[in-house]
Amino acid sequence: MKIRIWGVRGSIPTPITSQEIEEKIYQAIYRMPGINTGDQVAIRAYVRNLPLLVRGTVGGNTTCVEIQTGENTIIIDAGTGIYHLGLALLKGLCGKGQGVLHFVFSHPHWDHIQGFPMFIPAFIPGNRFFFHSIHDFETALREQQRFQYFPVTLQPEPGIPHHNATMTFIRHEVGESFDIGRVHVTSSLNNHPGRAYAYRFQDQHSAFVFASDAEYKDLEGEETRDRIAFFQDADAVLFDAQYGLRDSWESKVDFGHSSAMIGVYMAQQARAKRLLLTHHDPNYTDQKLLETLQMAEKFEAQNSAQSSCEVMLAYEGLELDLAPIGKVDIATSVDGKTTILTASATFDQGGVEILRSHLAKVKTGEAPAGSVIDLSEVEQLTPAGLKALVKLSWDRRTEPIVLASPSPKVQETIRLGGYRDYFAIYPTVTDAVQAVEARRALELPGQIVSERYLILEKLEQGRLGTILKARDQKTDRLVALKLLSPAFSSTTIERLGDQMERVLKLKYPAIVEVLDWGHVGERYYLVENWVTGTTLAEYLTHREPLQREAVETLVMALLKALEYAHQHGVIHGHLKPEDIFLTETGVQLGGFGLARLEEGHNFQVNPAVFLQAAYLSPEQILGRPL
């Protein structure tokens, strides 16, 4: 489980002031050793070694925390920090409209929701959001984005722009447990105006507690004892420390916030490993926050013999990997036939050996489709790790290993090492498992056909063979890979191959382009350009009949496509609605060449096996040449 902090302020966003920046510059110059100020390398090295709050800042954005665990992204609260999180997510699946995000909200006060209207992934169609809360957050977010307050509404309203992501709101009861992927989530009520809730996130290896916006008046009372139990043995507790101890007990009573000293006391009682102080008061400068941290560290040291707890200031950009080094999760796909292994942050030779030992425990035949290595939690793939991974893949070449969810940094390491085409790499574990199972069903030797076409999923299987969705790694575009049935004779394949030489030369807007013809082992295939749209068969099944004008347009487009093909020596021979695609740019006709599969058969004597008689010409029915 990885944690990243995107917003740490309480109450209201607090940009750093010019005076504070000036003070930081002064402190940096005051500390500067005798270095050559014209030497940029020396200056950068000096700046990097300055204390965090001298070279940078805690940050001024309101609350937002990201949890990454396996393939799941969990976002806690949507203060202004969520804006920069959104920009980061655009570099991944959210930028393609394929993102799936889970939000968990503590409460709907403005400083915990005010960033959501400008969360850019919400504007992109295809992204899917799941909102988990105890409060009614559908109403809270919708009211915040009423047109009077913001020009884009949360959900569709006539004549007004709206967010385009699909949003599902899920209400929970306090104390109710629920799961997000492999993360088990539980909640607890906070003492805070209007009610707020703390959450504990736990997987197989680590536990993280989000406990912002809470006040503790009686440290010996039942409420505090229950909260200490809620924190028990957590790897990190994010704790509301907005005020000093005296303020929280005197001038800020019933404001719903706490102090660093109370956080240290409770974390030590709970034997938590780390305490992250957050929800910083908007009046506190970085220097004031540093003094708060130093006071908390001294207080922690007084009782460290009882239980040691690392005290930290939460700041924007802070990242923590709570998983122990070298851990590997092992799971199987839904059908139990594909092994899924999730690696930890640094993936070196030792990490690969751990994977190897886990794979060795899988009984022969338990995972005939091979194994998926989930790299979603890997921050660094070392050269030694890459070498060991290549060797592992080679040693298990009869049970292919595929990689899933690598970060851009990990992908770049693989590319720079010259092994980009060596591995089958998928954006998510779900995609990888789906493709592995398609390969297994077809008994193909690997995930990449002819060292070029990466299998994505099986679309359709019929008498002619199987249609796969694939990615051409040479051109990085989607293709339809038609894997022909192994039942065809060598004579039939040879006749089809002769036709394909002419089909490959067809370049016409209304003809689906055939890109390649080849074989993998004894299985022959053809590759077509990927077409997005519905087939005429699907249209006629699910919609109203076409109007006369539409029919005329369709027929003329088909006639022109056939005329072009005939001029180039190609006869379609099996013109059926399933091969006619209705796209946004017009009609496209596919399936060229496949009529040759049963050319010469007299269908009056021998029924058609692969073709449909209703779509054959008279000479084909009689077994004559096309």
Side-chain angles (χ1 to χ4, degrees), residues 178-193:
F178 58 95
D179 293 324
I180 300 175
R182 291 179 297 216
V183 178
H184 188 65
V185 186
T186 53
S187 61
S188 179
L189 175 64
N190 288 344
N191 181 11
H192 188 78

Side-chain angles (χ1 to χ4, degrees), residues 531-534 581-588:
V531 180
T532 55
T534 185
F581 293 89
L582 309 178
T583 75
E584 291 183 356
T585 57
V587 177
Q588 286 206 293

